[in-house]
Structures are given as C-alpha cells and as structure tokens.
CSV table of all heavy atoms in Angstrom, one decimal:
chain,number,residue,atom,x,y,z
A,1,MET,N,0.8,-1.2,0.0
A,1,MET,CA,0.0,0.0,0.0
A,1,MET,C,0.9,1.3,0.0
A,1,MET,O,0.5,2.2,-0.7
A,1,MET,CB,-1.0,-0.1,1.2
A,1,MET,CG,-1.9,1.1,1.2
A,1,MET,SD,-3.1,1.1,-0.1
A,1,MET,CE,-4.4,1.8,0.5
A,2,PHE,N,2.0,1.2,0.8
A,2,PHE,CA,2.8,2.3,0.8
A,2,PHE,C,3.4,2.8,-0.6
A,2,PHE,O,3.3,4.0,-0.9
A,2,PHE,CB,4.1,2.1,1.8
A,2,PHE,CG,5.1,3.2,1.7
A,2,PHE,CD1,5.0,4.4,2.3
A,2,PHE,CD2,6.3,3.0,0.9
A,2,PHE,CE1,6.0,5.4,2.2
A,2,PHE,CE2,7.2,4.0,0.9
A,2,PHE,CZ,7.0,5.1,1.6
A,3,ARG,N,3.8,1.9,-1.4
A,3,ARG,CA,4.3,2.1,-2.7
A,3,ARG,C,3.2,2.6,-3.6
A,3,ARG,O,3.4,3.6,-4.4
A,3,ARG,CB,4.9,0.8,-3.3
A,3,ARG,CG,6.0,0.3,-2.6
A,3,ARG,CD,7.3,1.0,-2.8
A,3,ARG,NE,8.4,0.4,-1.9
A,3,ARG,CZ,9.5,1.0,-1.6
A,3,ARG,NH1,9.6,2.3,-2.0
A,3,ARG,NH2,10.4,0.5,-0.8
A,4,LYS,N,2.0,2.2,-3.5
A,4,LYS,CA,0.9,2.6,-4.3
A,4,LYS,C,0.5,4.1,-4.0
A,4,LYS,O,0.4,4.9,-4.8
A,4,LYS,CB,-0.3,1.7,-4.0
A,4,LYS,CG,-1.5,2.1,-4.9
A,4,LYS,CD,-2.6,1.1,-4.7
A,4,LYS,CE,-3.8,1.5,-5.6
A,4,LYS,NZ,-4.8,0.5,-5.5
A,5,LEU,N,0.6,4.4,-2.6
A,5,LEU,CA,0.3,5.8,-2.3
A,5,LEU,C,1.3,6.7,-2.7
A,5,LEU,O,1.1,7.8,-3.2
A,5,LEU,CB,0.2,5.8,-0.7
A,5,LEU,CG,-1.0,5.3,-0.1
A,5,LEU,CD1,-0.9,5.1,1.4
A,5,LEU,CD2,-2.3,6.0,-0.4
A,6,MET,N,2.6,6.3,-2.6
A,6,MET,CA,3.8,7.0,-3.1
A,6,MET,C,3.6,7.4,-4.6
A,6,MET,O,3.8,8.5,-5.0
A,6,MET,CB,5.1,6.4,-2.8
A,6,MET,CG,5.5,6.4,-1.3
A,6,MET,SD,6.0,8.0,-0.7
A,6,MET,CE,7.6,8.2,-1.5
A,7,ALA,N,3.4,6.4,-5.4
A,7,ALA,CA,3.3,6.5,-6.8
A,7,ALA,C,2.1,7.4,-7.2
A,7,ALA,O,2.2,8.2,-8.1
A,7,ALA,CB,3.1,5.2,-7.5
A,8,GLY,N,1.0,7.3,-6.4
A,8,GLY,CA,-0.1,8.0,-6.7
A,8,GLY,C,0.1,9.6,-6.4
A,8,GLY,O,-0.4,10.4,-7.2
A,9,GLU,N,0.9,9.8,-5.4
A,9,GLU,CA,1.1,11.2,-5.0
A,9,GLU,C,2.3,11.9,-5.8
A,9,GLU,O,2.2,13.0,-6.2
A,9,GLU,CB,1.5,11.3,-3.5
A,9,GLU,CG,1.7,12.7,-3.0
A,9,GLU,CD,0.4,13.5,-3.1
A,9,GLU,OE1,-0.7,13.0,-2.9
A,9,GLU,OE2,0.6,14.7,-3.2
A,10,PHE,N,3.3,11.1,-6.1
A,10,PHE,CA,4.5,11.7,-6.7
A,10,PHE,C,4.8,11.2,-8.1
A,10,PHE,O,5.8,11.7,-8.7
A,10,PHE,CB,5.7,11.4,-5.7
A,10,PHE,CG,5.6,11.9,-4.3
A,10,PHE,CD1,5.3,11.1,-3.3
A,10,PHE,CD2,5.7,13.3,-4.1
A,10,PHE,CE1,5.2,11.7,-2.0
A,10,PHE,CE2,5.5,13.8,-2.8
A,10,PHE,CZ,5.3,13.0,-1.8
A,11,GLY,N,4.1,10.3,-8.5
A,11,GLY,CA,4.6,9.5,-9.8
A,11,GLY,C,5.5,8.5,-9.5
A,11,GLY,O,6.2,8.5,-8.5
A,12,GLN,N,5.6,7.5,-10.3
A,12,GLN,CA,6.4,6.3,-10.1
A,12,GLN,C,7.9,6.5,-9.9
A,12,GLN,O,8.5,6.2,-8.9
A,12,GLN,CB,6.2,5.3,-11.1
A,12,GLN,CG,6.9,3.9,-10.8
A,12,GLN,CD,6.2,3.2,-9.7
A,12,GLN,OE1,5.1,3.2,-9.5
A,12,GLN,NE2,7.1,2.6,-8.8
A,13,VAL,N,8.5,7.4,-10.8
A,13,VAL,CA,9.9,7.5,-10.8
A,13,VAL,C,10.3,8.4,-9.6
A,13,VAL,O,11.3,8.1,-8.8
A,13,VAL,CB,10.4,8.2,-12.0
A,13,VAL,CG1,11.8,8.6,-12.0
A,13,VAL,CG2,10.2,7.2,-13.3
A,14,ARG,N,9.5,9.5,-9.4
A,14,ARG,CA,9.9,10.4,-8.3
A,14,ARG,C,9.7,9.7,-6.9
A,14,ARG,O,10.5,10.0,-6.0
A,14,ARG,CB,9.1,11.7,-8.4
A,14,ARG,CG,9.5,12.7,-7.3
A,14,ARG,CD,9.0,14.0,-7.6
A,14,ARG,NE,9.5,15.0,-6.5
A,14,ARG,CZ,8.7,15.8,-5.8
A,14,ARG,NH1,7.4,15.8,-6.0
A,14,ARG,NH2,9.2,16.5,-4.8
A,15,ALA,N,8.6,8.9,-6.9
A,15,ALA,CA,8.4,8.2,-5.6
A,15,ALA,C,9.5,7.3,-5.3
A,15,ALA,O,9.9,7.2,-4.1
A,15,ALA,CB,7.0,7.4,-5.8
A,16,GLU,N,10.0,6.6,-6.2
A,16,GLU,CA,11.2,5.7,-6.0
A,16,GLU,C,12.5,6.5,-5.5
A,16,GLU,O,13.1,6.1,-4.6
A,16,GLU,CB,11.5,4.9,-7.2
A,16,GLU,CG,10.4,3.8,-7.5
A,16,GLU,CD,10.6,3.1,-8.8
A,16,GLU,OE1,11.8,3.2,-9.3
A,16,GLU,OE2,9.7,2.4,-9.3
A,17,MET,N,12.6,7.6,-6.1
A,17,MET,CA,13.7,8.4,-5.7
A,17,MET,C,13.6,9.0,-4.3
A,17,MET,O,14.6,8.9,-3.6
A,17,MET,CB,13.9,9.6,-6.7
A,17,MET,CG,14.4,9.2,-8.1
A,17,MET,SD,14.6,10.4,-9.4
A,17,MET,CE,14.4,11.9,-8.6
A,18,ILE,N,12.4,9.4,-4.0
A,18,ILE,CA,12.2,9.9,-2.7
A,18,ILE,C,12.4,8.8,-1.7
A,18,ILE,O,13.0,9.0,-0.6
A,18,ILE,CB,10.8,10.6,-2.6
A,18,ILE,CG1,10.6,11.8,-3.3
A,18,ILE,CG2,10.4,10.7,-1.1
A,18,ILE,CD1,9.3,12.4,-3.6
A,19,ALA,N,11.7,7.7,-1.8
A,19,ALA,CA,11.9,6.6,-0.9
A,19,ALA,C,13.4,6.1,-0.7
A,19,ALA,O,13.8,5.8,0.3
A,19,ALA,CB,11.0,5.4,-1.3
A,20,ARG,N,14.1,6.2,-1.8
A,20,ARG,CA,15.6,5.7,-1.7
A,20,ARG,C,16.5,6.8,-1.2
A,20,ARG,O,17.4,6.5,-0.5
A,20,ARG,CB,15.9,5.3,-3.1
A,20,ARG,CG,17.3,4.7,-3.2
A,20,ARG,CD,17.7,4.5,-4.6
A,20,ARG,NE,17.7,5.8,-5.4
A,20,ARG,CZ,17.0,5.9,-6.6
A,20,ARG,NH1,16.4,5.0,-7.2
A,20,ARG,NH2,17.2,7.1,-7.2
A,21,ASP,N,16.2,8.0,-1.5
A,21,ASP,CA,17.3,9.1,-1.3
A,21,ASP,C,16.9,10.1,-0.2
A,21,ASP,O,17.9,10.7,0.3
A,21,ASP,CB,17.5,9.8,-2.6
A,21,ASP,CG,18.0,8.8,-3.7
A,21,ASP,OD1,18.7,7.9,-3.3
A,21,ASP,OD2,17.8,9.2,-4.9
A,22,HIS,N,15.6,10.4,0.1
A,22,HIS,CA,15.3,11.5,1.0
A,22,HIS,C,15.4,11.1,2.4
A,22,HIS,O,14.7,10.2,2.8
A,22,HIS,CB,13.9,12.0,0.7
A,22,HIS,CG,13.7,13.3,1.4
A,22,HIS,ND1,14.1,14.6,0.9
A,22,HIS,CD2,13.0,13.5,2.5
A,22,HIS,CE1,13.6,15.4,1.7
A,22,HIS,NE2,13.0,14.9,2.7
A,23,VAL,N,16.3,11.7,3.1
A,23,VAL,CA,16.4,11.3,4.6
A,23,VAL,C,15.4,12.0,5.4
A,23,VAL,O,15.4,13.3,5.3
A,23,VAL,CB,17.9,11.6,5.1
A,23,VAL,CG1,18.1,11.4,6.6
A,23,VAL,CG2,18.9,10.8,4.3
A,24,LEU,N,14.7,11.3,6.3
A,24,LEU,CA,13.6,11.9,7.1
A,24,LEU,C,14.1,11.9,8.5
A,24,LEU,O,14.2,10.8,9.1
A,24,LEU,CB,12.3,11.2,6.9
A,24,LEU,CG,11.8,11.1,5.4
A,24,LEU,CD1,10.9,10.0,5.2
A,24,LEU,CD2,11.2,12.4,5.1
A,25,SER,N,14.1,13.1,9.1
A,25,SER,CA,14.6,13.2,10.6
A,25,SER,C,13.5,12.5,11.4
A,25,SER,O,13.9,11.9,12.4
A,25,SER,CB,14.8,14.6,11.0
A,25,SER,OG,13.6,15.4,10.8
A,26,SER,N,12.2,12.6,11.0
A,26,SER,CA,11.2,11.9,11.9
A,26,SER,C,11.3,10.5,11.9
A,26,SER,O,10.6,9.8,12.7
A,26,SER,CB,9.8,12.4,11.3
A,26,SER,OG,9.6,12.0,10.0
A,27,LEU,N,12.1,9.9,11.0
A,27,LEU,CA,12.2,8.4,10.9
A,27,LEU,C,13.7,8.1,11.4
A,27,LEU,O,14.3,7.1,11.0
A,27,LEU,CB,12.1,7.9,9.5
A,27,LEU,CG,10.7,8.0,9.0
A,27,LEU,CD1,10.6,7.5,7.5
A,27,LEU,CD2,9.6,7.2,9.8
A,28,GLY,N,14.3,9.0,12.3
A,28,GLY,CA,15.5,8.7,12.8
A,28,GLY,C,16.7,8.9,11.9
A,28,GLY,O,17.7,8.2,12.0
A,29,GLY,N,16.4,9.8,10.9
A,29,GLY,CA,17.6,10.0,10.0
A,29,GLY,C,17.7,9.0,9.0
A,29,GLY,O,18.9,8.8,8.4
A,30,ARG,N,16.6,8.2,8.7
A,30,ARG,CA,16.7,7.3,7.6
A,30,ARG,C,15.8,7.6,6.4
A,30,ARG,O,15.0,8.4,6.6
A,30,ARG,CB,16.1,5.9,8.2
A,30,ARG,CG,17.0,5.4,9.3
A,30,ARG,CD,16.5,4.1,10.0
A,30,ARG,NE,15.1,4.5,10.7
A,30,ARG,CZ,14.5,3.6,11.4
A,30,ARG,NH1,14.9,2.4,11.5
A,30,ARG,NH2,13.4,4.0,12.0
A,31,THR,N,16.0,7.0,5.3
A,31,THR,CA,15.1,7.1,4.2
A,31,THR,C,13.9,6.3,4.5
A,31,THR,O,13.9,5.4,5.4
A,31,THR,CB,15.8,6.6,2.9
A,31,THR,OG1,16.0,5.3,2.9
A,31,THR,CG2,17.1,7.4,2.7
A,32,ALA,N,12.9,6.5,3.7
A,32,ALA,CA,11.7,5.6,3.8
A,32,ALA,C,12.1,4.2,3.5
A,32,ALA,O,11.6,3.3,4.3
A,32,ALA,CB,10.7,6.0,2.7
A,33,ASP,N,12.9,3.8,2.5
A,33,ASP,CA,13.2,2.5,2.3
A,33,ASP,C,13.9,1.8,3.4
A,33,ASP,O,13.7,0.7,3.9
A,33,ASP,CB,14.1,2.3,1.1
A,33,ASP,CG,13.3,2.6,-0.2
A,33,ASP,OD1,12.1,2.4,-0.2
A,33,ASP,OD2,13.9,2.6,-1.3
A,34,GLU,N,14.9,2.6,4.1
A,34,GLU,CA,15.6,2.1,5.1
A,34,GLU,C,14.7,1.9,6.4
A,34,GLU,O,14.8,0.9,7.2
A,34,GLU,CB,16.7,3.1,5.5
A,34,GLU,CG,17.8,3.2,4.6
A,34,GLU,CD,18.8,4.3,4.9
A,34,GLU,OE1,18.5,5.4,5.5
A,34,GLU,OE2,20.0,4.3,4.4
A,35,ALA,N,13.7,2.8,6.6
A,35,ALA,CA,12.8,2.7,7.7
A,35,ALA,C,12.0,1.4,7.5
A,35,ALA,O,11.8,0.7,8.5
A,35,ALA,CB,12.0,4.0,7.8
A,36,LEU,N,11.5,1.3,6.3
A,36,LEU,CA,10.6,0.1,6.0
A,36,LEU,C,11.4,-1.2,6.2
A,36,LEU,O,11.0,-2.2,6.8
A,36,LEU,CB,10.1,0.1,4.6
A,36,LEU,CG,9.0,1.2,4.4
A,36,LEU,CD1,8.8,1.3,2.9
A,36,LEU,CD2,7.8,0.8,5.1
A,37,GLU,N,12.7,-1.3,5.8
A,37,GLU,CA,13.6,-2.4,6.0
A,37,GLU,C,13.8,-2.8,7.4
A,37,GLU,O,14.0,-3.9,7.8
A,37,GLU,CB,14.8,-2.2,5.2
A,37,GLU,CG,14.7,-2.4,3.7
A,37,GLU,CD,16.0,-2.0,2.9
A,37,GLU,OE1,17.1,-2.0,3.5
A,37,GLU,OE2,15.8,-1.6,1.7
A,38,ALA,N,13.8,-1.6,8.2
A,38,ALA,CA,14.1,-1.8,9.7
A,38,ALA,C,12.8,-2.3,10.4
A,38,ALA,O,12.9,-2.4,11.7
A,38,ALA,CB,14.7,-0.5,10.2
A,39,GLY,N,11.7,-2.3,9.7
A,39,GLY,CA,10.5,-2.8,10.4
A,39,GLY,C,9.5,-1.7,10.7
A,39,GLY,O,8.5,-2.0,11.4
A,40,THR,N,9.7,-0.4,10.4
A,40,THR,CA,8.8,0.5,10.6
A,40,THR,C,7.6,0.4,9.7
A,40,THR,O,7.8,0.0,8.6
A,40,THR,CB,9.4,2.0,10.3
A,40,THR,OG1,10.6,2.1,11.1
A,40,THR,CG2,8.5,3.1,10.7
A,41,GLY,N,6.3,0.6,10.2
A,41,GLY,CA,5.2,0.3,9.5
A,41,GLY,C,5.0,1.3,8.4
A,41,GLY,O,5.4,2.4,8.4
A,42,GLY,N,4.4,0.7,7.3
A,42,GLY,CA,4.2,1.6,6.1
A,42,GLY,C,3.4,2.8,6.4
A,42,GLY,O,3.7,3.9,5.8
A,43,LYS,N,2.4,2.7,7.3
A,43,LYS,CA,1.5,3.9,7.6
A,43,LYS,C,2.4,5.0,8.2
A,43,LYS,O,2.3,6.2,7.8
A,43,LYS,CB,0.4,3.5,8.5
A,43,LYS,CG,-0.5,4.6,8.8
A,43,LYS,CD,-1.7,4.2,9.6
A,43,LYS,CE,-2.7,5.4,9.8
A,43,LYS,NZ,-3.9,4.9,10.6
A,44,GLU,N,3.2,4.6,9.2
A,44,GLU,CA,4.2,5.6,9.9
A,44,GLU,C,5.1,6.3,8.9
A,44,GLU,O,5.3,7.5,8.9
A,44,GLU,CB,4.9,4.9,11.0
A,44,GLU,CG,5.7,5.8,11.8
A,44,GLU,CD,6.5,5.1,12.9
A,44,GLU,OE1,6.1,3.9,13.3
A,44,GLU,OE2,7.5,5.7,13.3
A,45,VAL,N,5.6,5.5,7.9
A,45,VAL,CA,6.5,6.0,6.9
A,45,VAL,C,5.8,7.0,6.0
A,45,VAL,O,6.3,8.0,5.7
A,45,VAL,CB,7.1,4.8,6.2
A,45,VAL,CG1,8.1,5.4,5.1
A,45,VAL,CG2,8.1,4.0,7.2
A,46,TRP,N,4.6,6.5,5.6
A,46,TRP,CA,3.8,7.4,4.7
A,46,TRP,C,3.5,8.7,5.3
A,46,TRP,O,3.6,9.8,4.7
A,46,TRP,CB,2.4,6.7,4.3
A,46,TRP,CG,1.5,7.5,3.5
A,46,TRP,CD1,0.2,7.9,4.1
A,46,TRP,CD2,1.7,8.2,2.3
A,46,TRP,NE1,-0.4,8.7,3.0
A,46,TRP,CE2,0.4,8.8,2.0
A,46,TRP,CE3,2.7,8.2,1.4
A,46,TRP,CZ2,0.3,9.6,0.9
A,46,TRP,CZ3,2.6,8.9,0.2
A,46,TRP,CH2,1.3,9.6,0.0
A,47,ILE,N,3.1,8.8,6.6
A,47,ILE,CA,2.8,9.9,7.4
A,47,ILE,C,4.0,10.8,7.4
A,47,ILE,O,4.0,12.1,7.2
A,47,ILE,CB,2.2,9.7,8.8
A,47,ILE,CG1,0.9,9.0,8.7
A,47,ILE,CG2,2.2,10.9,9.5
A,47,ILE,CD1,-0.2,9.8,7.8
A,48,ALA,N,5.2,10.3,7.7
A,48,ALA,CA,6.5,11.0,7.7
A,48,ALA,C,6.8,11.7,6.3
A,48,ALA,O,7.2,12.8,6.3
A,48,ALA,CB,7.6,10.0,8.1
A,49,VAL,N,6.5,10.9,5.3
A,49,VAL,CA,6.8,11.5,3.9
A,49,VAL,C,5.8,12.6,3.7
A,49,VAL,O,6.1,13.6,3.2
A,49,VAL,CB,6.6,10.3,2.8
A,49,VAL,CG1,6.6,11.0,1.5
A,49,VAL,CG2,7.8,9.3,3.0
A,50,CYS,N,4.5,12.4,4.0
A,50,CYS,CA,3.5,13.5,3.8
A,50,CYS,C,3.9,14.7,4.6
A,50,CYS,O,3.7,15.9,4.0
A,50,CYS,CB,2.1,13.0,4.3
A,50,CYS,SG,1.4,11.7,3.2
A,51,GLU,N,4.3,14.6,5.8
A,51,GLU,CA,4.7,15.7,6.6
A,51,GLU,C,5.9,16.5,5.9
A,51,GLU,O,6.0,17.7,5.8
A,51,GLU,CB,5.0,15.3,8.0
A,51,GLU,CG,3.7,15.0,8.8
A,51,GLU,CD,4.0,14.4,10.2
A,51,GLU,OE1,5.1,14.3,10.5
A,51,GLU,OE2,3.0,14.1,10.9
A,52,ALA,N,6.9,15.8,5.5
A,52,ALA,CA,8.1,16.3,4.9
A,52,ALA,C,7.8,17.0,3.6
A,52,ALA,O,8.5,18.0,3.3
A,52,ALA,CB,9.1,15.2,4.7
A,53,PHE,N,6.8,16.5,2.9
A,53,PHE,CA,6.5,17.1,1.5
A,53,PHE,C,5.1,17.8,1.5
A,53,PHE,O,4.7,18.2,0.5
A,53,PHE,CB,6.5,16.0,0.4
A,53,PHE,CG,7.9,15.5,0.1
A,53,PHE,CD1,8.4,14.5,0.9
A,53,PHE,CD2,8.6,16.1,-0.9
A,53,PHE,CE1,9.8,14.1,0.6
A,53,PHE,CE2,9.9,15.7,-1.1
A,53,PHE,CZ,10.5,14.7,-0.4
A,54,ASP,N,4.7,18.2,2.7
A,54,ASP,CA,3.4,19.0,2.8
A,54,ASP,C,2.3,18.4,1.9
A,54,ASP,O,1.6,19.2,1.3
A,54,ASP,CB,3.7,20.5,2.4
A,54,ASP,CG,4.7,21.2,3.4
A,54,ASP,OD1,4.5,20.8,4.6
A,54,ASP,OD2,5.5,21.9,3.0
A,55,VAL,N,2.0,17.2,2.0
A,55,VAL,CA,1.0,16.6,1.3
A,55,VAL,C,-0.3,17.0,2.0
A,55,VAL,O,-0.4,16.8,3.3
A,55,VAL,CB,1.1,15.0,1.3
A,55,VAL,CG1,-0.2,14.4,0.6
A,55,VAL,CG2,2.3,14.6,0.4
A,56,PRO,N,-1.3,17.5,1.4
A,56,PRO,CA,-2.5,17.9,2.0
A,56,PRO,C,-3.2,16.8,2.9
A,56,PRO,O,-3.1,15.6,2.5
A,56,PRO,CB,-3.4,18.4,0.8
A,56,PRO,CG,-2.6,18.7,-0.2
A,56,PRO,CD,-1.4,17.8,-0.1
A,57,GLU,N,-3.8,17.1,4.0
A,57,GLU,CA,-4.4,16.2,4.8
A,57,GLU,C,-5.4,15.2,4.1
A,57,GLU,O,-5.4,14.1,4.4
A,57,GLU,CB,-5.1,16.9,6.0
A,57,GLU,CG,-5.6,16.1,7.1
A,57,GLU,CD,-4.3,15.5,8.0
A,57,GLU,OE1,-3.4,16.3,8.2
A,57,GLU,OE2,-4.5,14.4,8.5
A,58,ASN,N,-6.2,15.7,3.2
A,58,ASN,CA,-7.2,14.9,2.5
A,58,ASN,C,-6.5,13.8,1.6
A,58,ASN,O,-7.3,12.9,1.0
A,58,ASN,CB,-8.1,15.8,1.7
A,58,ASN,CG,-7.5,16.5,0.6
A,58,ASN,OD1,-6.4,16.8,0.6
A,58,ASN,ND2,-8.3,16.8,-0.4
A,59,ARG,N,-5.2,13.8,1.3
A,59,ARG,CA,-4.6,12.9,0.5
A,59,ARG,C,-3.7,12.0,1.3
A,59,ARG,O,-2.9,11.2,0.7
A,59,ARG,CB,-3.8,13.6,-0.6
A,59,ARG,CG,-4.7,14.3,-1.6
A,59,ARG,CD,-4.1,14.6,-2.9
A,59,ARG,NE,-2.7,15.2,-2.9
A,59,ARG,CZ,-2.5,16.5,-3.2
A,59,ARG,NH1,-3.5,17.2,-3.5
A,59,ARG,NH2,-1.2,16.9,-3.2
A,60,ARG,N,-3.7,12.1,2.6
A,60,ARG,CA,-3.0,11.2,3.4
A,60,ARG,C,-3.7,9.9,3.7
A,60,ARG,O,-3.8,9.1,4.3
A,60,ARG,CB,-2.5,12.0,4.8
A,60,ARG,CG,-1.7,13.1,4.5
A,60,ARG,CD,-1.3,13.8,5.8
A,60,ARG,NE,-0.5,14.9,5.4
A,60,ARG,CZ,0.2,15.6,6.3
A,60,ARG,NH1,0.3,15.2,7.6
A,60,ARG,NH2,0.9,16.7,6.0
C-alpha cells in the first residue's frame, strides 16, 4: 500500500527516488526504504513522507 500511495502522489519515478534518497529526521535520519527495511510500519513512513513534503491532509 505504501508504494501505491507514493506513486499516486509523486509519480512512479519520483516516488522511488524519494523513498530511496530522501532522509527523514522523523524516521531517525533514515530514508523511507531504510525505515521500512528496519521494520517501521508503512503507515508511519507514509505519514512522515506526507509531513516532509506537505501533502494535504485529504490525500494522506
């Protein structure tokens, strides 16, 4: 579900780049991919990405 939400919001290519490269302080200084690999839930990661990129509340 996380990947689908990311692609829907940012487009497939940009979503992959964000998940792989953008470090999120709210996830302990990890990227979304790193956080997911470490066992952080997809919902928590999605909310962190939304906050970092100012995704409107109605699309979270």
